[in-house]
Amino acid sequence: MLASARGFWARHRRKILLSLGVAGAGYAAYRLYETHRRQLVRVEQRALEERAAEEIIKNQLQTHFENVQKISDTTTLPFAMHYLRSRIMEELDISHLTEKLMHGKGESSALTPKEKYDTWEKIKILSFTRTVSSIWAMTLLSLYVRVQVTILGRHLYLDFARVTDGAQLQEGSDTFSKNGHKDFLATADYLATYGINALITQMQRAATEILKEKQLKDPMSINQVLETILQILNQFMGLCEDNSWINYLIPENANMYAQLMVVSSSGFDDSSLLKDVRKLDQLMSETRIVLSSDDFRNIMDRSLKKIASVVIEDLSVQLGTPIPPPGLPLAKLLAKVAQLSLPLLEEPDKNKHILIIRSMPEVELFYTFLYANMPPEK
């Protein structure tokens, strides 16, 4: 039996060893495959978990950004527009001048020719100043608020880009908290609160220069009214050397602005109430860079011209019948010109001019590129 087994082994040894070798190699290959398969499963599982975590963060990011946009659209801009309207109507009120002319018709309080002329001249200057100031302020405030939201959206994107291993955006981290966002958005009312007087003074200078040769009895067509508005706008921007018009929209210094906020909210100067303004200063600095860019100046000019054209269309509607050449006496147009400021300063949800600016293709393109190509955070 043993001899027979030895004989079998001797005769088939090569085949048996070859079979065992093949089986061993197969088993090793199977083990290698199984190990690799498990690794792939783990990698795929981790990738799925990372994608799920990434999707959660993206949803959080989108929600946060939508909240910022909602605050801007429903609170920041409406409040700023409401206050802007009250300030312009208050600072450029002409009712006392028209009443003066009406009362001056009576024999007991008759105005001298010079007094009457001077009063009409003031009405002329203030009527155009009020409407052109409204065009500029409404247009720039609308564009400025969009810049704010875009910059905040960019910062939220950068915050997201720093997140790794599925970690979620932390409310207490060194990112812009909701209060930080609101502090920055609150600068939208800086124009109406602090910048409006300087704006009106400069606009009145421009209007005076452009209107000095235009007499009250001179006929003026609709196109000439548009041309006059555009000339005043150009004159105004020419007076604002080195982009000084930006100072009407946004504070020069975050610390100074924060101090103003403390005083206005508490009624007294208490430096201990000041928050850390480094982030606010960074946001304001980035905003200034955007506002001083050639691209922003381009959409600003286009928007102002577009709104001026819409305003003149409204004037044509108010006048009813077409004005025969060469036009109406300037004095007869002044009341209508002054009234053009009212719809310009309507609440945002009722303001067609704001909607027109937002829907301009060049404006939409500007904010798209602004979001995509904004300089990285330092």
Side-chain angles (χ1 to χ4, degrees):
M1 185 72 177
L2 180 61
S4 177
R6 287 177 179 175
F8 179 83
W9 170 254
R11 290 192 303 272
H12 300 286
R13 181 179 61 179
R14 181 179 179 83
K15 293 180 180 179
I16 292 171
L17 291 175
L18 182 61
S19 298
L20 289 173
V22 170
Y27 179 74
Y30 168 76
R31 293 287 296 176
L32 181 63
Y33 163 77
E34 183 66 15
T35 300
H36 183 63
R37 187 186 68 80
R38 289 177 180 177
Q39 288 176 344
L40 286 176
V41 170
R42 286 196 295 269
V43 170
E44 291 176 356
Q45 184 65 28
R46 182 180 298 176
L48 289 173
E49 291 173 354
E50 289 178 352
R51 281 197 292 269
E54 195 173 287
E55 193 64 30
I56 291 173
I57 295 171
K58 285 182 178 179
N59 290 336
Q60 289 178 336
L61 180 66
Q62 182 65 26
T63 299
H64 197 159
F65 182 71
E66 288 174 355
N67 286 339
V68 173
Q69 181 73 63
K70 184 178 180 180
I71 291 171
S72 176
D73 289 344
T74 62
T75 304
T76 306
L77 186 57
F79 177 80
M81 285 296 298
H82 176 77
Y83 194 31
L84 181 65
R85 178 188 177 99
S86 65
R87 289 301 308 279
I88 289 180
M89 294 301 105
E90 176 185 351
E91 297 295 331
L92 293 170
D93 179 31
I94 60 175
S95 60
H96 64 287
L97 294 174
T98 55
E99 289 174 2
K100 184 177 180 180
L101 287 176
M102 294 296 294
H103 293 157
K105 292 181 179 181
E107 294 183 4
S108 60
S109 57
L111 298 175
T112 65
K114 186 177 185 311
E115 289 175 334
K116 186 176 181 180
Y117 173 81
D118 290 343
T119 302
W120 270 108
E121 283 295 304
K122 289 179 182 178
I123 293 175
K124 178 182 74 174
I125 299 299
L126 291 180
S127 296
F128 276 92
T129 299
R130 188 165 93 167
T131 291
V132 182
S133 294
S134 299
I135 291 174
W136 193 93
M138 181 278 301
T139 300
L140 268 294
L141 182 58
S142 177
L143 294 174
Y144 172 72
V145 169
R146 283 289 302 277
V147 169
Q148 285 185 306
V149 173
T150 303
I151 288 177
L152 287 176
R154 175 65 174 180
H155 277 281
L156 288 170
Y157 170 80
L158 292 172
D159 293 339
F160 166 71
R162 291 194 207 91
V163 175
T164 57
D165 297 328
Q168 298 188 7
L169 294 173
Q170 296 299 317
E171 207 171 333
S173 64
D174 189 31
T175 58
F176 297 106
S177 66
K178 293 181 180 179
N179 288 333
H181 294 161
K182 290 180 180 178
D183 288 340
F184 179 51
L185 289 175
T187 63
D189 70 353
Y190 182 83
L191 171 62
T193 306
Y194 303 105
I196 193 64
N197 288 335
L199 163 64
I200 289 174
T201 299
Q202 199 77 307
M203 192 67 75
Q204 191 166 335
R205 284 181 58 194
T208 300
E209 177 64 25
I210 297 301
L211 294 169
K212 65 182 181 181
E213 302 297 333
K214 301 185 185 298
Q215 303 302 315
L216 293 164
K217 295 181 180 181
D218 291 345
M220 184 173 282
S221 66
I222 289 294
N223 287 336
Q224 287 174 323
V225 175
L226 174 59
E227 182 182 350
T228 300
I229 289 175
L230 294 176
Q231 287 175 343
I232 294 173
L233 284 170
N234 289 334
Q235 181 71 17
F236 168 79
M237 295 303 294
L239 293 173
C240 299
E241 298 178 352
D242 300 323
N243 290 326
S244 60
W245 55 268
I246 295 176
N247 295 331
Y248 304 147
L249 289 169
I250 187 169
E252 292 185 70
N253 183 283
N255 285 293
M256 178 188 68
Y257 175 70
Q259 190 70 56
L260 288 171
M261 294 300 96
V262 169
V263 174
S264 63
S265 61
S266 64
F268 59 91
D269 187 351
D270 185 355
S271 298
S272 65
L273 297 177
L274 287 175
K275 297 179 180 180
D276 182 1
V277 296
R278 287 177 298 174
K279 293 297 186 180
L280 178 61
D281 187 61
Q282 181 187 6
L283 286 166
M284 287 168 52
S285 296
E286 290 182 15
T287 304
R288 281 183 165 273
I289 291 173
V290 173
L291 297 182
S292 60
S293 68
D294 292 338
D295 289 336
F296 184 83
R297 180 62 183 265
N298 179 51
I299 66 158
M300 178 178 73
D301 290 342
R302 288 173 178 266
S303 299
L304 288 170
K305 290 178 181 177
K306 177 65 176 179
I307 296 304
S309 298
V310 173
V311 164
I312 293 305
E313 292 174 4
D314 293 341
L315 178 60
S316 298
V317 172
Q318 288 184 26
L319 293 173
T321 58
I323 300 177
L328 293 176
L330 176 56
K332 290 188 176 182
L333 289 171
L334 293 180
K336 296 293 185 182
V337 168
Q339 291 173 5
L340 293 173
S341 62
L342 298 176
L344 284 163
L345 301 174
E346 283 280 3
E347 296 179 6
D349 59 343
K350 302 176 182 178
N351 195 319
K352 70 174 184 179
H353 306 93
I354 291 178
L355 297 177
I356 288 172
I357 292 172
R358 288 180 176 178
S359 63
M360 291 173 63
E362 53 268 50
V363 172
E364 293 180 346
L365 187 63
F366 168 79
Y367 287 108
T368 299
F369 279 111
L370 175 61
Y371 184 84
N373 301 310
M374 194 175 295
E377 224 178 355
K378 295 182 179 179

